[in-house]
Amino acid sequence: MKPYDTFDCAVLQNRELAPGFFDLTVSCLQAAQTARAGQFAQLMVPGKTLRRPISICEIDRNQGTLRFVFGVRGGGTLQLSRLKAGDQVNLLAPLGNGFNLGDTSRRVLLAGGGIGVPPLLEAAKPFGKRAVLTAGFRSRDAVILKEDFEKLGCGVRIATDDGSFGHHGLVTDLVEDIPFDVVFACGPKPMLRAVAALAHRRGVPCFVSMEERMACGIGACLGCAIQLQGENGPYYGHVCKDGPVFPAETIVWEE
Amino acid sequence: MKPYDTFDCAVLQNRELAPGFFDLTVSCLQAAQTARAGQFAQLMVPGKTLRRPISICEIDRNQGTLRFVFGVRGGGTLQLSRLKAGDQVNLLAPLGNGFNLGDTSRRVLLAGGGIGVPPLLEAAKPFGKRAVLTAGFRSRDAVILKEDFEKLGCGVRIATDDGSFGHHGLVTDLVEDIPFDVVFACGPKPMLRAVAALAHRRGVPCFVSMEERMACGIGACLGCAIQLQGENGPYYGHVCKDGPVFPAETIVWEE
Amino acid sequence: MAELEVQIAGVSFKNPLIAASGTFGFGHEFQAFYPLSTLGGISCKGLTLEERPGNPPPRIAETPGGMLNSVGLQNPGVEHFIREDLPWLKRQGTGVIANIAGNTPEDYCAMAERLSEEPVDMIELNISCPNVKQGGAAFGTSCESAASITSAVRRHCKKPLMVKLSPNVADIGGIAAAVEDAGADAISMINTLTGMRIDIRTRRPILKNNTGGLSGPALLPVALRMVWQASSRVKIPIVGLGGISTWQDVVEMLLAGASAVQIGTVLFSDPYAPVKMLKGLETYLEENHVGSAAELTGRVRSW
Amino acid sequence: MAELEVQIAGVSFKNPLIAASGTFGFGHEFQAFYPLSTLGGISCKGLTLEERPGNPPPRIAETPGGMLNSVGLQNPGVEHFIREDLPWLKRQGTGVIANIAGNTPEDYCAMAERLSEEPVDMIELNISCPNVKQGGAAFGTSCESAASITSAVRRHCKKPLMVKLSPNVADIGGIAAAVEDAGADAISMINTLTGMRIDIRTRRPILKNNTGGLSGPALLPVALRMVWQASSRVKIPIVGLGGISTWQDVVEMLLAGASAVQIGTVLFSDPYAPVKMLKGLETYLEENHVGSAAELTGRVRSW
Ligand SMILES: Cc1cc2nc3c(=O)[nH]c(=O)nc-3n(C[C@H](O)[C@H](O)[C@H](O)COP(=O)(O)OP(=O)(O)OC[C@H]3O[C@@H](n4cnc5c(N)ncnc54)[C@H](O)[C@@H]3O)c2cc1C
Ligand SMILES: Cc1cc2nc3c(=O)[nH]c(=O)nc-3n(C[C@H](O)[C@H](O)[C@H](O)COP(=O)(O)OP(=O)(O)OC[C@H]3O[C@@H](n4cnc5c(N)ncnc54)[C@H](O)[C@@H]3O)c2cc1C
Ligand SMILES: Cc1cc2nc3c(=O)[nH]c(=O)nc-3n(C[C@H](O)[C@H](O)[C@H](O)COP(=O)(O)O)c2cc1C
Ligand SMILES: Cc1cc2nc3c(=O)[nH]c(=O)nc-3n(C[C@H](O)[C@H](O)[C@H](O)COP(=O)(O)O)c2cc1C
Ligand code: FES
Ligand code: FES
């Protein structure tokens, strides 16, 4: 079995979850068998030189489908947002290392910021009630996937930047009284950094999913560099191959 | 009223007339009011730097529609061939001078070669029975629009390169015994040249529709040069603005 | 409302969008779409001293994200322009830039002198056209020749003088500095990169001229880089062009160091592009609380 | 069946498709898609004498029809390559080209000498990388420096030597001729054009390095023109690259004067592109009754 491959996939559904956020399900039998939580796919956008990296939000092995949730940022995601059921989209998948879920009897804190929330959904599945999602969004409008986590039995706490929903403030504000044994986090860098610091203070392992601009997505072009803490000092690893999920302590937060 | 403009047009129909030849009808109320036989439109192809010039094959003023018939040659026409009813296509139209139909009580010879046949259809309309189409195609497979001309009452004579339909040979072979007062021709350059020579021998005016690679389509970029016979010797005119229809005697057939 | 007016070498343009030479003719064809006063200015089709027939066709080839042209400066000559086009153009309420090219320095100087008597707002010196002296190499590809033609024309030119640079060079910053030293009042950049396409059926170059000038979106990153490099070497204003096709590209070009932009190839696919750009630029300025387009010039914070 | 094998400077490649340096790593990642023996050869990621960390991110920006990279030659150093990658690569049944870059002529020479002892098929001299001596200007942008580095390396190199040219020059033909005279056995061209993009939200260059190298389809017409120009100036074979993304582009490049091609950026959107190109090329040769790929080289009939 190839570790990753390109696939022409039928779009089964694409709907606007919240203004500017899309929920795309494609049929991809092979990748659905091997994909793991936290991995990503590179989606081809006709006319664009580069594919777009999007995290896998859900994997349905039985149906052979992958779900992606993405926000419209620029021309590429705009084009992806226009995909309709019955269209084709080409995927390069599954890519990256994904979350090492480890012992799923542990209590997990899932910390997500905005469009960083989707990859946490598949990771939440084996934990169910033992998972708490703390998620931050811009505003009430931008809250996504809340019900999806609730359906899995996870605790869900929401913060918004403008206070229009849930807590008015930061994701990290929500964590104070939550007990957990491991953290999986995805979101903007400052948030990840704060979550990592918090986990560090509690002495709990923390894994963060990072972003970087990509070309190949498979480790060949060395485009998606990220500064990591090595034995002999900092060095450039690569998000697509060494990540996107890294132990928080290996990240060099400031260059 | 603007002489030409860009229009977002709904595709009403696009079907394969013959292998590799497509028949596209779009709704374009405004351009349909002003367009004349022999004019053309520049069709936008998403992702391509340049529009594609395609002759207007039929104009329906009442329905407000334009019909185009085109062959797939490269990437642009391939993309246009995939348009489906309900899609949008952007047109810059109507462009060029068109056929000056003049006195429609004259007997007209319409001489067409392959994908040069479509623009002759609209020109045939006011002549009806007084028009004879002599058209050459590669083979039986590539014969298009025969019935359309017949429906107008035109005489129709077909030649094919391989003899698989009609006369085995050239368009000019078909003309011998046809009486006519004026010629409108569109097709490959060698054919046009031969038709022009034939008309010249008979002392009959001949108008030919020419092709050249285009950028602007409106006479601004000077891209679509064609060598013409001027009072002070040959000069470069422009197919999009001075043509695409030229009196045959103004064309410099060899450079 | 944000201020869109910009000043280039003492000439004010009501907004920073100027039609690029050779893509807009003398403006006649585009008035079908909108009044020419919509634009900050028009750089007219390149003029030569005498009428020029231009190159044989085909003159146009498409490329990925761009196109090639080998029009070869077909134009009716400077006198015809002054007589037939300029009076009409002057009435359109937009800035008029005369773009000139020559076979010899003498040609350039004669044209500059002649046009200095006429109501053009600015003269743009195209030193990147082929078919000029010096064994076929363009004036624009060495610092020495660029400087010498600029200073020669400078002496004959009473109008603000803008020199248009070629991108087919190793050190654009050096050339920009050389033409500034030689007396240019402004720089416009970039002209086309030289390219080629071959028809694999006929195995002949698509262009009868074999090679042509690459324009269109493909060029944008090269143009941005060159404007950025040049703007750190000169004090005179730069008019940026090359592949601009969206309002975002306009903003990028201004940030890179341009005081105004020229719009070319995009006009062929969307003649209304400048209207959309103007709107986008205005909205950007307002949303970002920038008082004027001019404030964007050179405001990229490089790493 | 048409013959696909081509000879470049005495090295035979089973077909004219070679992976371009920096886009294919050392091949490991692409064997997931197809055996590396599918390719005529692989030009490995650029090597330096010592390990190099590369430039800080972001290193990638998209452009219309292309992309910019500022990877900055991140690589594990030549010794690591010889130890860890080369033995494996040699077993893959494809041509292996070592691509080298240096900060100084001495670096280049030392690497060429070291690699001459190893089973690489060819050495590709990248003289178009930034961050080299001479005040930041690359060796590749003047005839003199290109010739001097080539002849220096030539003296230390026992393998066929291919010199990779930069397109950021005014006279590519002159540089090609200079490196031929200096002892190059082949030329590969073109490397990337320098470009820039700016994020209009942050008003910062997208690349942390400010500028980067433009690759991808946008580059194709420039590459074709340069290969065509260079091929009329040199007798040594040319490996053509820059923006090739379809089999038609491969044919164009061969017709323009290339004896083989390298495939780069297209691999990022379609890793299977070389497989498709191979098939398209074969069909083209057969349909046109051309006996071998080599017969296409330089067969454009220019006007
Ligand atoms: C491993 C990984 C997983 C991701 N998962 C998701 C997800 O699940 N949902 C989601 O909405 N977004 C996700 N992103 C971000 C997403 O890739 C970008 O929003 C998207 O590429 C923007 O493309 P665009 O054409 O709309 O924007 P443009 O700005 O037009 O894109 C231009 C170029 O920059 C790149 N780019 C722009 N922003 C980013 C970014 N933030 N990260 C990486 N590349 C960028 C694009 O890929 C493209 O190459 C992920 C990114 C990475 C690296
Ligand atoms: C005034 C005019 C009217 C035309 N009417 C028709 C018509 O009714 N039906 C029809 O099938 N074709 C017509 N053509 C030809 C048609 O424009 C080309 O077949 C089409 O542009 C090819 O585009 P492509 O992307 O498929 O080919 P590509 O080869 O990929 O195109 C590359 C570039 O070359 C140009 N080009 C290629 N071939 C031609 C050509 N023969 N003429 C002009 N430009 C070309 C394209 O427009 C494009 O800019 C007409 C051409 C002109 C000038
Ligand atoms: C068809 C065509 C004709 C051109 N003619 C001229 C010209 O006469 N003088 C000139 O200085 N530049 C000329 N140019 C170059 C443009 O002014 C401009 O520098 C170039 O096209 C890059 O900008 P763009 O990508 O926005 O088109 C021409 C470009 C095109 C496409
Ligand atoms: C990410 C990336 C890294 C590159 N690294 C190198 C390199 O190390 N050495 C080199 O000679 N060229 C390097 N190049 C240039 C390519 O080999 C090639 O010359 C260029 O990309 C043009 O070809 P393309 O358009 O097919 O990609 C690199 C290109 C890219 C996109
Ligand atoms: S994107 Fe190419 S190495 Fe990560
Ligand atoms: S296409 Fe521009 S002048 Fe005809």
Side-chain angles (χ1 to χ4, degrees):
Chain A
M1 183 78 108
K2 296 180 173 186
Y4 43 77
D5 205 351
T6 61
F7 303 100
D8 274 322
C9 300
V11 172
L12 300 179
Q13 174 185 282
N14 192 23
R15 64 189 188 95
E16 196 160 8
L17 259 188
F21 294 95
F22 287 80
D23 184 350
L24 171 71
T25 303
V26 307
S27 171
C28 195
L29 293 165
Q30 277 180 272
Q33 299 319 309
T34 55
R36 295 190 312 273
Q39 288 190 299
F40 68 100
Q42 286 257 72
L43 278 67
M44 174 117 85
V45 183
K48 298 280 180 189
T49 315
L50 299 174
R51 289 170 178 263
R52 298 302 190 258
I54 303 288
S55 295
I56 297 172
C57 169
E58 274 199 87
I59 305 161
D60 188 328
R61 294 218 162 69
N62 296 330
Q63 303 291 322
T65 62
L66 296 176
R67 179 184 183 192
F68 301 96
V69 170
F70 62 92
V72 172
R73 292 293 166 85
T77 47
L78 181 66
Q79 249 178 274
L80 292 174
S81 75
R82 294 188 180 136
L83 286 171
K84 296 182 302 284
D87 289 346
Q88 293 257 316
V89 60
N90 187 283
L91 255 59
L92 170 59
L95 301 174
N97 57 1
F99 292 109
N100 183 343
L101 300 180
D103 174 1
T104 54
S105 69
R106 292 179 298 176
R107 294 162 306 176
V108 63
L109 175 70
L110 304 168
I115 203 59
V117 173
L120 301 175
L121 185 60
E122 184 64 29
K125 284 187 184 169
F127 293 94
K129 284 192 186 4
R130 287 178 304 285
V132 179
L133 172 77
T134 57
F137 299 97
R138 219 177 39 236
S139 67
R140 168 187 288 273
D141 262 11
V143 175
I144 51 171
L145 299 177
K146 182 170 167 292
E147 290 77 17
D148 296 74
F149 283 91
E150 286 167 349
K151 257 186 236 153
L152 296 175
C154 308
V156 174
R157 300 190 186 184
I158 306 285
T160 51
D161 297 345
D162 65 359
S164 55
F165 191 87
H167 172 72
H168 187 167
L170 301 175
V171 169
T172 38
D173 302 342
L174 304 171
V175 181
E176 219 49 36
D177 60 330
I178 305 178
F180 52 85
D181 309 310
V182 60
V183 184
F184 297 138
C186 185
K189 219 165 171 182
M191 185 209 101
L192 294 182
R193 189 179 186 174
V195 169
L198 192 146
H200 182 74
R201 282 197 300 276
R202 296 228 199 151
V204 158
C206 176
F207 299 88
V208 292
S209 179
M210 307 298 288
E211 281 189 6
E212 192 45 74
R213 287 170 190 258
M214 293 185 174
C216 72
I218 58 175
C221 76
L222 312 185
C224 60
I226 178 168
Q227 204 168 31
L228 300 176
Q229 219 48 270
E231 289 175 14
N232 315 311
Y235 70 102
Y236 288 122
H238 297 95
V239 171
C240 71
K241 194 174 191 175
D242 306 324
V245 179
F246 297 89
E249 65 276 13
T250 63
I251 303 291
V252 177
W253 293 104
E254 249 160 344
E255 303 212 350
Chain B
M1 182 81 105
K2 296 180 174 185
Y4 43 79
D5 205 350
T6 62
F7 303 100
D8 275 322
C9 300
V11 172
L12 299 179
Q13 173 186 281
N14 192 23
R15 64 187 187 97
E16 196 161 7
L17 259 190
F21 294 96
F22 288 80
D23 184 352
L24 171 70
T25 303
V26 306
S27 171
C28 194
L29 293 165
Q30 277 180 271
Q33 299 319 308
T34 56
R36 294 190 313 273
Q39 287 191 299
F40 68 101
Q42 286 257 70
L43 277 66
M44 174 117 84
V45 183
K48 298 281 179 188
T49 315
L50 299 175
R51 289 170 178 262
R52 298 302 189 260
I54 304 287
S55 294
I56 296 172
C57 170
E58 275 199 85
I59 305 161
D60 188 328
R61 293 216 163 70
N62 296 329
Q63 302 292 321
T65 62
L66 296 177
R67 179 184 182 192
F68 301 96
V69 170
F70 63 92
V72 172
R73 293 291 167 87
T77 47
L78 181 66
Q79 249 179 273
L80 292 173
S81 75
R82 294 189 179 135
L83 287 171
K84 296 183 303 285
D87 289 347
Q88 293 255 318
V89 58
N90 188 284
L91 254 59
L92 170 57
L95 302 175
N97 56 2
F99 291 109
N100 184 344
L101 300 180
D103 175 2
T104 54
S105 69
R106 291 179 298 176
R107 294 162 304 175
V108 64
L109 174 71
L110 304 169
I115 204 59
V117 173
L120 301 175
L121 185 61
E122 184 65 29
K125 284 186 182 170
F127 292 94
K129 285 193 186 4
R130 285 177 304 286
V132 179
L133 172 77
T134 56
F137 299 97
R138 219 178 37 237
S139 66
R140 170 186 286 271
D141 262 13
V143 175
I144 50 171
L145 300 177
K146 182 170 168 289
E147 290 76 17
D148 296 74
F149 282 91
E150 286 167 350
K151 257 187 233 148
L152 295 176
C154 309
V156 174
R157 301 192 187 183
I158 306 284
T160 51
D161 297 344
D162 64 359
S164 56
F165 191 87
H167 171 71
H168 187 167
L170 300 175
V171 169
T172 38
D173 303 340
L174 302 172
V175 182
E176 219 49 33
D177 59 328
I178 305 178
F180 52 85
D181 309 310
V182 60
V183 184
F184 297 139
C186 185
K189 220 167 170 178
M191 184 208 102
L192 294 182
R193 190 181 184 171
V195 170
L198 193 145
H200 182 73
R201 281 197 300 275
R202 295 226 199 154
V204 158
C206 175
F207 299 88
V208 291
S209 178
M210 306 298 288
E211 282 190 6
E212 193 44 75
R213 288 170 189 258
M214 294 186 173
C216 71
I218 57 175
C221 76
L222 311 187
C224 59
I226 179 169
Q227 203 168 30
L228 299 177
Q229 219 50 271
E231 288 175 17
N232 315 310
Y235 70 101
Y236 288 122
H238 296 95
V239 171
C240 72
K241 194 174 190 176
D242 306 325
V245 179
F246 297 89
E249 66 275 13
T250 63
I251 303 292
V252 177
W253 293 105
E254 251 161 340
E255 300 211 354
Chain C
M1 269 256 310
E3 176 64 77
L4 292 178
E5 189 173 323
V6 295
Q7 308 286 329
I8 313 282
V11 182
S12 83
F13 294 89
K14 79 161 76 90
N15 66 56
L17 302 190
I18 301 169
S21 178
T23 65
F24 207 77
F26 300 112
H28 305 291
E29 294 80 11
F30 279 87
Q31 37 155 3
F33 302 112
Y34 37 78
L36 300 187
S37 59
T38 310
L39 297 168
I42 297 173
S43 174
C44 298
K45 173 64 193 170
L47 298 167
T48 50
L49 199 51
E50 308 296 337
E51 177 180 358
R52 263 180 73 105
N55 290 325
R59 294 178 175 182
I60 301 284
E62 202 179 40
T63 72
M67 61 170 278
L68 301 174
N69 88 82
S70 58
V71 169
L73 291 175
Q74 175 168 17
N75 82 94
V78 69
E79 288 302 334
H80 184 280
F81 166 74
I82 289 170
R83 208 173 52 238
E84 304 291 330
D85 301 295
L86 186 55
W88 177 83
L89 266 170
K90 281 307 293 177
R91 291 196 301 272
Q92 304 309 311
T94 190
V96 177
I97 301 173
N99 176 291
I100 62 173
N103 286 306
T104 65
E106 296 73 43
D107 285 1
Y108 277 104
C109 293
M111 277 189 280
E113 205 163 289
R114 180 70 186 85
L115 286 161
S116 289
E117 302 158 20
E118 300 294 331
V120 300
D121 296 300
M122 197 178 248
I123 291 179
E124 183 175 46
L125 206 65
N126 176 4
I127 57 167
S128 28
C129 67
N131 308 322
V132 288
K133 254 190 189 176
Q134 297 202 322
F139 289 107
T141 54
S142 89
C143 291
E144 297 70 38
S145 55
S148 85
I149 185 86
T150 303
S151 58
V153 172
R154 175 74 287 174
R155 285 190 296 273
H156 293 81
C157 181
K158 299 198 197 77
K159 301 279 178 177
L161 179 63
M162 178 153 80
V163 179
K164 184 166 179 182
L165 304 189
S166 164
N168 299 295
V169 301
D171 175 21
I172 195 76
I175 294 190
V179 306
E180 176 179 50
D181 287 347
D185 300 308
I187 288 172
S188 56
M189 57 193 291
I190 57 177
N191 210 316
T192 53
L193 271 171
T194 308
M196 185 179 198
R197 284 313 296 268
I198 296 168
D199 184 329
I200 66 168
R201 278 173 293 203
T202 62
R203 299 193 201 159
R204 305 213 76 144
I206 290 184
L207 300 176
K208 197 68 169 269
N209 193 47
N210 294 321
T211 62
L214 176 66
S215 64
L219 211 55
L220 180 68
V222 176
L224 288 166
R225 183 263 298 183
M226 289 189 163
V227 167
W228 178 72
Q229 287 179 332
S231 69
S232 73
R233 298 286 297 274
V234 301
K235 293 210 179 58
I236 52 177
I238 295 176
V239 174
L241 75 154
I244 293 175
S245 48
T246 66
W247 68 261
Q248 290 92 336
D249 299 344
V250 172
V251 173
E252 267 190 78
M253 190 55 93
L254 298 175
L255 290 171
S259 297
V261 300
Q262 288 182 11
I263 311 298
T265 298
V266 68
L267 294 165
F268 303 153
S269 58
D270 184 7
Y272 290 99
V275 180
K276 296 173 190 167
M277 290 174 184
L278 215 48
K279 208 166 154 178
L281 175 61
E282 271 187 301
T283 310
Y284 175 87
L285 292 172
E286 273 159 38
E287 285 181 0
N288 290 278
H289 312 291
V290 181
S292 71
E295 282 173 51
L296 293 178
T297 299
R299 282 302 169 82
V300 62
R301 293 182 302 130
S302 303
W303 299 103
Chain D
M1 268 251 316
E3 176 64 76
L4 291 177
E5 190 172 321
V6 296
Q7 308 286 329
I8 312 282
V11 182
S12 82
F13 294 89
K14 80 161 76 92
N15 67 55
L17 303 190
I18 301 169
S21 178
T23 65
F24 208 77
F26 300 111
H28 305 292
E29 294 79 10
F30 278 88
Q31 37 155 2
F33 301 113
Y34 38 78
L36 301 188
S37 59
T38 309
L39 298 168
I42 297 174
S43 175
C44 299
K45 173 64 194 170
L47 298 167
T48 50
L49 199 52
E50 307 296 335
E51 176 180 358
R52 263 180 73 107
N55 290 325
R59 293 178 176 182
I60 301 285
E62 203 178 41
T63 72
M67 61 170 278
L68 301 174
N69 88 82
S70 59
V71 168
L73 290 175
Q74 173 168 17
N75 82 94
V78 71
E79 288 302 335
H80 185 279
F81 166 73
I82 290 170
R83 208 173 53 239
E84 304 290 331
D85 300 296
L86 187 55
W88 177 82
L89 265 171
K90 281 307 293 178
R91 290 196 301 273
Q92 304 310 309
T94 190
V96 177
I97 301 173
N99 176 289
I100 62 173
N103 287 306
T104 64
E106 296 74 43
D107 285 2
Y108 277 105
C109 293
M111 276 189 282
E113 205 164 288
R114 180 70 186 85
L115 285 161
S116 290
E117 301 158 20
E118 300 294 331
V120 300
D121 297 300
M122 198 179 247
I123 292 178
E124 184 175 46
L125 206 66
N126 176 4
I127 58 167
S128 28
C129 68
N131 308 320
V132 288
K133 257 189 185 175
Q134 299 201 320
F139 288 107
T141 55
S142 89
C143 292
E144 297 71 37
S145 54
S148 85
I149 185 88
T150 303
S151 57
V153 172
R154 174 73 288 174
R155 284 190 296 273
H156 294 81
C157 182
K158 298 197 197 74
K159 300 280 180 177
L161 180 64
M162 178 154 79
V163 179
K164 184 165 179 182
L165 304 188
S166 164
N168 298 295
V169 300
D171 175 21
I172 195 76
I175 294 191
V179 304
E180 176 179 51
D181 287 347
D185 299 309
I187 288 172
S188 56
M189 57 193 294
I190 56 178
N191 210 316
T192 53
L193 270 170
T194 308
M196 186 179 197
R197 286 311 296 267
I198 296 168
D199 184 329
I200 66 168
R201 278 173 292 205
T202 61
R203 299 194 200 160
R204 306 213 75 146
I206 289 183
L207 299 176
K208 198 66 169 271
N209 193 46
N210 294 320
T211 64
L214 177 65
S215 64
L219 211 54
L220 179 69
V222 177
L224 288 166
R225 183 263 297 183
M226 288 189 163
V227 167
W228 178 72
Q229 287 179 330
S231 69
S232 73
R233 298 288 297 274
V234 301
K235 294 208 178 58
I236 52 176
I238 295 175
V239 173
L241 75 155
I244 294 175
S245 48
T246 66
W247 68 261
Q248 290 93 337
D249 299 344
V250 172
V251 173
E252 267 190 79
M253 190 55 93
L254 298 175
L255 291 171
S259 298
V261 301
Q262 288 183 12
I263 311 298
T265 299
V266 67
L267 294 165
F268 303 152
S269 58
D270 184 6
Y272 289 100
V275 180
K276 296 174 190 166
M277 289 174 185
L278 216 47
K279 208 167 152 178
L281 175 61
E282 272 187 300
T283 310
Y284 176 87
L285 292 173
E286 274 158 38
E287 286 181 359
N288 290 277
H289 312 292
V290 181
S292 71
E295 283 173 50
L296 292 178
T297 299
R299 283 301 169 84
V300 62
R301 291 183 304 131
S302 303
W303 298 103

